[in-house]
Coordinates of all heavy atoms in Angstrom, one line a residue:
W381 N -1.1 3.9 8.5 CA -0.1 4.0 7.5 C 0.0 2.8 6.6 O 0.0 2.9 5.4 CB 1.2 4.3 8.3 CG 1.7 3.2 9.2 CD1 1.0 2.8 10.3 CD2 2.9 2.4 9.2 NE1 1.7 2.0 11.1 CE2 2.8 1.5 10.4 CE3 3.9 2.2 8.3 CZ2 3.9 0.6 10.7 CZ3 4.9 1.2 8.6 CH2 4.8 0.5 9.7
L385 N -0.8 3.0 2.5 CA -0.1 2.3 1.3 C -0.9 1.5 0.7 O -0.8 1.4 -0.7 CB 1.1 1.7 2.0 CG 2.3 2.5 2.5 CD1 3.3 1.6 3.2 CD2 2.8 3.4 1.5
F572 N 23.5 1.7 7.4 CA 22.2 1.2 6.6 C 21.8 2.0 5.7 O 21.5 1.7 4.4 CB 21.2 0.8 7.7 CG 20.0 0.7 7.0 CD1 19.7 -0.8 6.7 CD2 18.9 1.5 6.8 CE1 18.4 -1.1 5.9 CE2 17.7 1.1 6.2 CZ 17.6 0.0 5.8
L635 N 12.2 -2.4 17.6 CA 11.6 -2.2 16.2 C 10.6 -1.0 16.2 O 10.0 -0.7 17.1 CB 10.9 -3.5 15.9 CG 10.3 -3.5 14.4 CD1 11.5 -3.6 13.4 CD2 9.5 -4.9 14.2
T636 N 10.7 -0.2 15.1 CA 9.9 1.0 14.9 C 9.3 0.9 13.6 O 9.6 0.2 12.8 CB 10.7 2.2 15.1 OG1 11.7 2.4 14.1 CG2 11.4 2.3 16.4
R637 N 8.4 1.8 13.3 CA 7.7 1.9 12.1 C 8.7 2.2 11.0 O 8.6 1.7 9.8 CB 6.5 3.0 12.2 CG 5.4 2.5 13.0 CD 4.4 3.7 13.1 NE 3.1 3.2 13.7 CZ 2.1 3.9 14.0 NH1 2.1 5.3 13.9 NH2 1.0 3.4 14.6
L638 N 9.5 3.3 11.2 CA 10.4 3.6 10.2 C 11.4 2.4 9.9 O 11.7 2.1 8.7 CB 11.4 4.7 10.7 CG 12.4 5.3 9.8 CD1 11.9 5.6 8.4 CD2 13.3 6.3 10.5
R639 N 11.9 1.7 10.9 CA 12.8 0.6 10.6 C 12.2 -0.5 9.9 O 12.8 -1.1 9.0 CB 13.4 0.0 12.0 CG 14.3 1.1 12.7 CD 14.6 0.8 14.1 NE 15.1 2.1 14.8 CZ 15.1 2.2 16.1 NH1 14.8 1.2 17.0 NH2 15.7 3.3 16.6
I640 N 11.0 -0.9 10.2 CA 10.3 -2.0 9.5 C 10.0 -1.6 8.0 O 10.0 -2.4 7.1 CB 9.1 -2.5 10.4 CG1 8.6 -3.9 9.8 CG2 8.0 -1.5 10.2 CD1 7.5 -4.5 10.6
S641 N 9.7 -0.3 7.9 CA 9.3 0.2 6.5 C 10.5 0.1 5.6 O 10.4 -0.3 4.5 CB 8.8 1.6 6.6 OG 7.6 1.6 7.4
V642 N 11.7 0.7 6.1 CA 12.9 0.7 5.2 C 13.4 -0.7 4.9 O 13.9 -0.9 3.9 CB 14.0 1.6 5.8 CG1 13.5 3.0 5.9 CG2 14.4 1.1 7.2
V643 N 13.2 -1.6 5.8 CA 13.6 -3.0 5.6 C 12.7 -3.6 4.5 O 13.2 -4.2 3.5 CB 13.5 -3.9 6.9 CG1 13.6 -5.4 6.5 CG2 14.7 -3.5 7.8
G644 N 11.5 -3.3 4.5 CA 10.6 -3.7 3.5 C 11.0 -3.2 2.1 O 10.9 -3.9 1.1
V645 N 11.3 -1.9 2.0 CA 11.6 -1.3 0.8 C 13.1 -2.0 0.3 O 13.2 -2.3 -0.9 CB 12.0 0.3 1.0 CG1 12.7 0.8 -0.2 CG2 10.6 0.9 1.3
E646 N 14.0 -2.2 1.3 CA 15.2 -2.9 0.9 C 14.9 -4.2 0.3 O 15.7 -4.7 -0.7 CB 16.2 -3.0 2.0 CG 17.5 -3.3 1.7 CD 18.3 -2.4 0.9 OE1 18.3 -1.2 1.2 OE2 19.2 -2.8 0.0
L647 N 14.1 -5.0 0.8 CA 13.8 -6.3 0.4 C 13.2 -6.3 -1.0 O 13.5 -7.1 -1.9 CB 12.9 -7.1 1.4 CG 13.5 -7.5 2.6 CD1 12.5 -8.1 3.7 CD2 14.6 -8.3 2.5
F682 N 2.6 -6.6 3.6 CA 3.0 -5.6 4.7 C 1.8 -5.3 5.5 O 1.9 -5.2 6.8 CB 3.6 -4.3 4.1 CG 4.2 -3.3 5.1 CD1 5.3 -3.7 5.6 CD2 3.5 -2.3 5.4 CE1 5.9 -2.8 6.7 CE2 4.1 -1.2 6.4 CZ 5.3 -1.6 6.9
P687 N 2.0 -4.5 10.7 CA 3.3 -3.9 11.2 C 3.3 -3.4 12.6 O 4.3 -3.7 13.5 CB 3.6 -2.8 10.3 CG 2.3 -2.5 9.5 CD 1.6 -3.8 9.5
I691 N 5.6 -4.8 15.6 CA 6.5 -3.9 16.4 C 6.3 -4.0 17.8 O 7.2 -4.1 18.6 CB 6.2 -2.4 16.0 CG1 6.7 -2.1 14.5 CG2 6.8 -1.4 17.0 CD1 6.2 -0.9 13.9

Side-chain angles (χ1 to χ4, degrees):
W381 59 298
L385 290 175
F572 174 81
L635 191 60
T636 65
R637 289 173 170 175
L638 177 61
R639 293 164 195 168
I640 195 174
S641 299
V642 294
V643 167
V645 171
E646 187 71 38
L647 291 174
F682 189 71
I691 291 168

